[in-house]
Amino acid sequence: MSSASGTNSASKPASTRAKPANKAEAAVDWVDGRLGLYSLAKANLRKIFPDHWSFMLGEICLYSFIIIILTGVYLTLFFKPSMAETVYHGTYLPLNGIKMSEAYASTVNISFEVRGGLLIRQIHHWAALVFVAAMFVHMMRVFFTGAFRKPREINWLFGFLLLCLGFFDGFFGYSLPDDLLSGTGIRFMEGAILAVPIVGTYIQMFLFGGEFPGTDIIPRFFTIHVLLIPGIMLGLLVAHLILVFYHKHTQWAGPGKTEKNVVGMPLMPVYMAKAGGFFFLVFGIIAAMSAIATINPVWAYGPYRPDQVSTDAQPDWYMGFAEGLIRFMPGWEISVWGGHTLNLGVFIPLMIFPLVLVAIAVWPFIESWVTGDKREHHILDRPRNAPVRTAFGAAWIALYLVLLVGGGNDLFATHLHMSINTITYAVRVGFFVVPVLTFIVTKRWCLGLQRRDKEKVLHGRESGIIKRLPHGEFVEVHTPLAQKDLHTLTAHEQPQPLELPAETDENGVARKAGVITKTRVKLSEGFYGEGNQIAKPTTEEYHEITSGHGHH
Amino acid sequence: MSENLPEAHGASHGTDVATHGDPFADPGLPAHEPRRTDIDERAAKRAERQVSLLFVVSMLATVGFIASYASIDADKIVYIFPLGHVSALNFALGMTLGVALFCIGAGAVHWARTLMSDHELPAERHPIEADDDVRNDVIEQFKTGAAESAFGRRKMIRNTLIGSMALVPLSGVVLLRDLGPLPEKKLLHTGWVEATANKPIKLVNMNTDQPMKPEDIVQGSLTFAKPEGLEESAEDFQQKIAKDALMLIRIAPEDIKDTKSRDKGFEGILAYSKICTHVGCPISLYEQQTHHALCPCHQSTFDLADGARVIFGPAGHPLPQLKITTDEQGFLVATGDFDEPVGPSYWERPR
Ligand code: FES
């Protein structure tokens, strides 16, 4: 805002900037004058990104999400979200003359008459599976390396919400074609809603616009599937990425890498080329997969009818978790408050499902509360160096797998030639036992690995060379580690457990620790107390042993 | 950047605890190691050609995609080993699209890995937290703003504002009311409720649409039935059949363990709701030796010879049974509704 420009603007240019060298520069100058492009790009064009293969897991999530949106828009151009009855007369002869909903008929049309429609449908569904799977693995990466710690807790929550929304949007999308399988899924949902005490029947009536199945559920799901949930997800995703940019990536410990720097390659050109190229790799692979492997062949299932069912009634794998809960739960139904029915057999699984998820969501807060650690963390933990966290994560995965077995108990029964009852009983026991066992085994395994690291630091690496000493003894020569390896192996921190405050304060007045403080100390003991981590080698230990070697 | 090379800063750089001679201290960033393409121009040229080749393949594949779209019929099925019979168009489009996209990606990544600089650079991080000056400044500004609004002093305004803000979302909730009707007693009855002793409703075979006589029901078989008058073309067929569907089985009367259940049947023919009491799947599997019916969804198993008691699985109560008899012409009929609601249980369901 130069004051001169107002008075004699006709004769003088308003800006004192040198003339742009070419058309391109001139165009960018124009944009900068409106949007402040240069200041924006200054910090970011050569922004450093560390390189590690596991960072691509998040990229796969992002790219498959974009693919889902692109193909989804295409599908909405042909799909009719209507439950109006129609009789099919199309090119797919087995269904000819059969009564079905517009939704199902248009899905069959997309598959057989719209050129490329089948491909786009398959890409859409495959990308959705890849999306959820990648979110899972990405989340595990973040969890097991402790990348969720301050300042990234909020981004952990954003990611967590994206996972949950991904689950539900997947379910809604799966339900839309109104085929026999998807209708069965909706029926399942209706039964679950009815099991909610007091308000269950009201929610059911309002959601379905009357009794099951009515004619409203598909159009309503359609709006939720293509507008409501993706809209929220898009917002969360942008926020997630802004935070990733703002926080900068985490990195592994190693020579030259500290909590105060980030080492890697610049955004332009290396990371741009790699990340941009990776989008095409993911898209290309999903397209090829869709050409080769058929997924959700709705034409084979037939239109939905509430009194019919196909035998392989299975949800997509990520819902197998919920399916497992509902299958292994005993059918408890009790009568409460004078004649009301509480369907615990469905309601308890319905509640466990979000509880398990929430336990994961709040983990960062639990961990920082237990450590009392308020600092920022940018160096990743090797999973072995945080045994309790790693064991907890492994227990969670084990629980998930147990439930997946429960959800596919019929498949396991037929493939393993076992009684379905045996499998269900095993899952009931396994639900409680397997996570605990996994926890214990994982923790011990981590401690073993820590011990091995310590051994390596103090005694070096086994060289495979056997040396015979003058007095006849055989020893294996150990090569000492280079300083960069010594540093990498000892760079991790080892938090100490919290201690109870002194019984009396400095004035000698008795001070009682509250229950909360006591639990916190107990938990902290469980995390970092004796037996829960192996003390790192000290400089003294190292010198003692290495100088000892010299005397040989 | 040079200060990050090992020679430049010694062993004590980078860690807070490092002391001189500490074997575990951070030696700093390792020196950059050149790649083949950095020193050998021939290798670099080769990499350049590889990248371009990938981009050319992508172009060809896109042309192939368009050609497939224009020339292959949508309903053409071909046999491709080991995939089996697949849609030719789907396969051609997917493979060409896949190759077109993949080659762009592979080219870009190969380019980045071989020809773009691979110098690792450090960048500084700055704490996310603001320093104390900024913090105190902002808090000061906020306090000034708050004081000027007199929000804290004018308690009446504050409290009524909070009240109105708390209530206003209720409008949104109320607006959802017309999404659907109230439950009332809708879940209590099925279509069979129209049947009375004077005006019984015939049981109609689901497949043949014909009324049935007892001799049509073979011992050990499972027959599906619906009420007479419920046509598939009816507007609300789906909604009706979701509750009215019946399964009929015939068991030798002496094998029926539950006498009440035997009395509701006719000469050993028992009519049970087809809708599972767990979450509502239709039951479709019947084992004639044991008289067990199994729901394919979550494997709830009902003993039809014993009042459809749940013998395994997550269902919470037996399948409701419909009392049947025959009319003057000898057709199977119902003279009333089920004694209890069919399908999954819910809060208001009487027990
Ligand atoms: S619906 Fe029949 S067992 Fe779940």
Side-chain angles (χ1 to χ4, degrees), chain B residues 276-281 283 295-300 302 314-315:
Chain B
C276 182
T277 57
H278 179 223
V279 289
C281 273
I283 292 163
C295 175
C297 285
H298 318 102
Q299 291 86 40
S300 288
F302 303 88

Side-chain angles (χ1 to χ4, degrees), chain A residues 37 70 220 326 350 367 392 396 402 411 417 425 433 453 464:
Chain A
L37 191 64
L70 290 177
R220 284 180 184 175
I326 201 99
L350 200 67
E367 200 183 293
F392 180 85
W396 185 68
V402 168
L411 295 182
H417 303 290
Y425 289 127
V433 173
D453 279 350

Side-chain angles (χ1 to χ4, degrees), chain B:
Chain B
M1 197 198 71
S2 64
E3 74 268 17
N4 285 291
L5 295 177
E7 320 82 65
H9 60 82
S12 65
H13 179 86
T15 46
D16 300 331
V17 287
T19 53
H20 211 67
D22 177 357
F24 305 146
D26 181 359
L29 269 188
H32 174 243
E33 299 217 10
R35 294 161 300 187
R36 222 164 138 211
T37 42
D38 291 331
I39 39 182
D40 180 356
E41 182 53 25
R42 290 229 326 262
K45 272 263 162 3
R46 195 175 328 119
E48 188 184 353
R49 279 196 302 273
Q50 287 163 343
V51 171
S52 300
L53 179 69
L54 284 165
F55 291 154
V56 170
V57 171
S58 165
M59 289 191 246
L60 294 176
T62 299
V63 173
F65 180 90
I66 297 170
S68 314
Y69 188 90
S71 66
I72 303 178
D73 281 338
D75 51 4
K76 184 162 180 206
I77 304 288
V78 289
Y79 182 82
I80 296 174
F81 181 82
L83 308 177
H85 292 278
V86 294
S87 151
L89 183 63
N90 186 61
F91 184 76
L93 291 180
M95 287 317 278
T96 48
L97 181 64
V99 169
L101 294 165
F102 187 89
C103 286
I104 294 180
V109 171
H110 193 47
W111 179 12
R113 292 176 63 106
T114 52
L115 294 172
M116 291 180 185
S117 153
D118 74 333
H119 277 273
E120 280 209 314
L121 305 172
E124 265 178 51
R125 286 182 195 275
H126 304 285
I128 308 286
E129 276 165 6
D131 59 36
D132 284 353
D133 286 347
V134 175
R135 176 183 175 274
N136 296 338
D137 196 28
V138 169
I139 289 178
E140 219 28 68
Q141 287 183 19
F142 181 83
K143 280 190 182 146
T144 315
E148 285 173 7
S149 76
F151 192 75
R153 259 187 317 124
R154 308 258 174 226
K155 290 264 159 54
M156 192 155 70
I157 294 187
R158 191 195 63 189
N159 294 345
T160 47
L161 174 66
I162 292 174
S164 57
M165 294 293 279
L167 288 187
V168 86
L170 280 182
S171 312
V173 178
V174 168
L175 280 175
L176 292 177
R177 164 62 186 86
D178 276 355
L179 277 173
L182 292 180
E184 292 165 330
K185 303 251 177 275
K186 292 191 184 68
L187 298 179
L188 214 49
H189 293 292
T190 70
W192 296 101
V193 74
E194 319 255 299
T196 59
N198 297 332
K199 235 173 68 50
I201 295 184
K202 289 201 183 78
L203 273 55
V204 169
N205 186 308
M206 190 74 84
N207 296 323
T208 62
D209 261 348
Q210 296 302 317
M212 291 177 283
K213 297 209 161 157
E215 49 274 27
D216 300 340
I217 314 275
V218 191
Q219 190 149 332
S221 73
L222 184 66
T223 317
F224 299 121
K226 61 180 179 179
E228 183 177 39
L230 176 57
E231 300 303 330
E232 272 193 43
S233 51
E235 179 99 34
D236 52 357
F237 174 77
Q238 294 279 70
Q239 200 167 308
K240 288 247 166 83
I241 199 67
K243 282 159 74 170
D244 298 357
L246 283 188
M247 54 180 176
L248 299 178
I249 41 127
R250 186 172 204 147
I251 303 175
E254 62 276 13
D255 288 349
I256 302 178
K257 288 174 225 153
D258 186 317
T259 45
K260 266 211 248 134
S261 168
R262 187 193 307 154
D263 295 344
K264 280 188 187 171
F266 183 81
E267 292 173 0
I269 301 175
L270 308 177
Y272 287 108
S273 162
K274 195 189 176 189
I275 308 302
C276 182
T277 57
H278 179 223
V279 289
C281 273
I283 292 163
S284 59
L285 305 170
Y286 177 60
E287 236 251 338
Q288 54 165 289
Q289 306 297 323
T290 54
H291 308 299
H292 291 170
L294 177 88
C295 175
C297 285
H298 318 102
Q299 291 86 40
S300 288
T301 311
F302 303 88
D303 187 353
L304 301 188
D306 191 12
R309 183 171 63 87
V310 185
I311 50 173
F312 182 76
H317 60 266
L319 296 170
Q321 189 180 354
L322 189 70
K323 184 169 166 34
I324 52 169
T325 175
T326 49
D327 62 6
E328 309 87 70
Q329 298 132 9
F331 287 117
L332 287 170
V333 293
T335 53
D337 200 359
F338 294 94
D339 290 346
E340 48 178 331
V342 303
S345 73
Y346 51 95
W347 181 250
E348 297 91 338
R349 184 180 188 277
R351 270 176 69 92

Side-chain angles (χ1 to χ4, degrees), chain A residues 437-453:
Chain A
L437 282 183
T438 313
F439 184 92
I440 296 170
V441 169
T442 313
K443 203 173 92 178
R444 307 195 83 175
W445 191 6
C446 288
L447 293 176
L449 288 170
Q450 280 192 28
R451 251 181 239 117
R452 210 165 78 184
D453 279 350

